[in-house]
Every structure is written in C-alpha cells, then in structure tokens.
Amino acid sequence: RKEVEQDPGPFNVPEGATVAFNCTYSNSASQSFFWYRQDCRKEPKLLMSVYSSGNEDGRFTAQLNRASQYISLLIRDSKLSDSATYLCVVNIYNAGNNRKLIWGLGTSLAVNP
Amino acid sequence: NAGVTQTPKFRVLKTGQSMTLLCAQDMNHEYMYWYRQDPGMGLRLIHYSVGEGTTAKGEVPDGYNVSRLKKQNFLLGLESAAPSQTSVYFCASSSGLAGGVDTQYFGPGTRLTVL
C-alpha cells in the first residue's frame, strides 16, 4: 500500500457543483496534513493546511479523520478556475524524529462551463 | 519580491553531459529543497538543506549533488546526465520556523530532457 493515496480522477464537474476528494495515508504517525494545488505545467502552491478540527477557507473545506486515516477536501460552487490537480501532502516523524513529507500523486479536477 | 526563481527553465542534454541548476529565493528562508516530478511518480525529494552550508539526502539522491554556499541559493548538479534523469525539477523553500512543517514555496520548474 502506498503511503499516501489519491484517486487520480479526472473529476469532471459543471460550474457550481460541489466536489469532494479524499486522500488516505498509511502511517499512523502522520502529524501534519496539507492540500496543494498544481495547475498544468506549473509549480505546486499551498491551498490549505488541514487541522484536526477541520477548517474552511471560503469555498474550500478540509477535514481530517485520524481514526480512518484520511483527509478530505470539499470544494463548493466550483469555478472554472478551480480546474487543476490537487495534491495531498502528509508529514510524518520517524523514529529518529526526522521529518518526512510524503506527496500524493494528485487528483485531477476539470470544471466545465 | 520574486519568491523562488530557477535557472534555466528548459534544457536538453546529451547522455554524459553535466549541468547545474540554480535556485534562488529572496524570502530569507532557512530550508531549501530540490524535487523531481515524473508522470505516475509524483514529487520526489532529491536533496534538501536546513541552512547555509548544510545539505542532506532525500528520497532519490543518486546521480545528483547539491551545494548551499549562500543562504539564498541552492544548486543542483548532474555530473553525468542519464536519460532516467529526464524530468521536471522543482526547487522549493520554507521558513523552517515550524521545524520544516510549514508552507513550501516552489519555483516555476526546470524541464530537463536527456537524450
């Protein structure tokens, strides 16, 4: 099992739709979680961190479920500009207290007019 | 404030040639990283640095060397390029204030093809 797994998609949704992505992680020692966004042929950019209690930033809501070891990203009222690949990132600390960031392969979203 | 810049943006090499990729950041960040991104493989960490004069191996360091002589610059070297090193290379930096668990800011990438 991969350390971080995402459904690659693509998710094709109409403008205004609500869409949700999940990301599962295998290491229960995972400490921090992030969603990055990557546009085609561009660099990744931080979308939002994921906090234990869940957090919201405008149309975007991130949730963490430690018991089931997954994080989710919900996008409400999708815009054409939301079309991108969404990367799940998990930070773990190993036995030597060394930090390691694990990047998912990403979920592709296409918002259609 | 340019953020993170990378030079060059594109490069084609022949097998066995060498080259250096330059990354510069103007945010006074302590941590800097070199990643490669390949289809179906995602972002993989090559080397990283937690401060001027320091470097450490990441997940896929073989065939690459790095140097961090100045805080704002992080160089990635390929001594003898191989076709397997054809990839998109991203440099990133972070403040390091949260022990590395903080936002990473990426450069625009370098698209390298090795023939």
Side-chain angles (χ1 to χ4, degrees):
Chain A
R1 181 183 173 187
K2 291 182 182 177
E3 291 186 273
V4 174
E5 289 197 80
Q6 296 183 250
D7 181 343
F11 284 65
N12 286 285
V13 302
E15 269 187 291
T18 296
V19 61
F21 313 132
N22 280 346
C23 167
T24 59
Y25 60 93
S26 60
N27 193 318
S28 59
S30 300
Q31 298 287 335
S32 308
F33 309 87
F34 310 89
W35 284 103
Y36 277 72
R37 169 197 169 124
Q38 186 172 24
D39 293 304
C40 187
R41 300 182 69 79
K42 299 287 188 180
E43 71 273 22
K45 293 182 180 179
L46 179 70
L47 178 66
M48 58 197 304
S49 301
V50 186
Y51 302 124
S52 297
S53 55
N55 48 300
E56 188 174 306
D57 183 2
R59 298 181 293 108
F60 299 85
T61 300
Q63 296 278 354
L64 167 63
N65 186 318
R66 285 194 182 272
S68 301
Q69 294 186 197
Y70 74 86
I71 64 172
S72 64
L73 177 67
L74 180 78
I75 305 176
R76 291 181 299 278
D77 189 23
S78 299
K79 310 292 185 189
L80 295 177
S81 58
D82 293 334
S83 298
T85 296
Y86 292 84
L87 304 173
C88 167
V89 187
V90 176
N91 171 72
I92 63 172
Y93 287 91
N94 61 21
N97 204 34
N98 295 313
R99 181 189 65 86
K100 182 178 178 182
L101 271 183
I102 311 296
W103 294 76
L105 297 186
T107 296
S108 176
L109 170 66
V111 181
N112 305 306
Chain B
N1 190 334
V4 181
T5 58
Q6 291 183 232
T7 309
K9 289 186 169 54
F10 303 92
R11 186 72 186 268
V12 178
L13 290 179
K14 294 181 180 179
T15 297
Q17 287 185 317
S18 63
M19 78 164 294
T20 300
L21 281 66
L22 171 64
C23 176
Q25 52 95 3
D26 61 4
M27 296 175 282
N28 200 34
H29 282 170
E30 289 293 334
Y31 287 30
M32 296 187 75
Y33 315 81
W34 275 108
Y35 290 92
R36 60 178 290 174
Q37 187 174 36
D38 304 287
M41 300 295 287
L43 277 165
R44 292 182 292 169
L45 184 64
I46 304 172
H47 286 279
Y48 65 100
S49 167
V50 299
E52 180 179 317
T54 75
T55 62
K57 293 181 180 180
E59 182 184 354
V60 288
D62 294 342
Y64 306 94
N65 56 75
V66 287
S67 64
R68 183 103 181 265
L69 298 179
K70 292 183 179 181
K71 185 176 182 178
Q72 64 267 33
N73 294 338
F74 195 27
L75 278 63
L76 177 71
L78 286 73
E79 290 186 349
S80 179
S84 61
Q85 293 178 304
T86 293
S87 187
V88 179
Y89 291 86
F90 287 105
C91 175
S93 71
S94 68
S95 66
L97 293 175
V101 186
D102 47 8
T103 303
Q104 294 198 6
Y105 295 85
F106 284 80
T110 295
R111 283 164 175 75
L112 175 66
T113 301
V114 183
L115 303 175

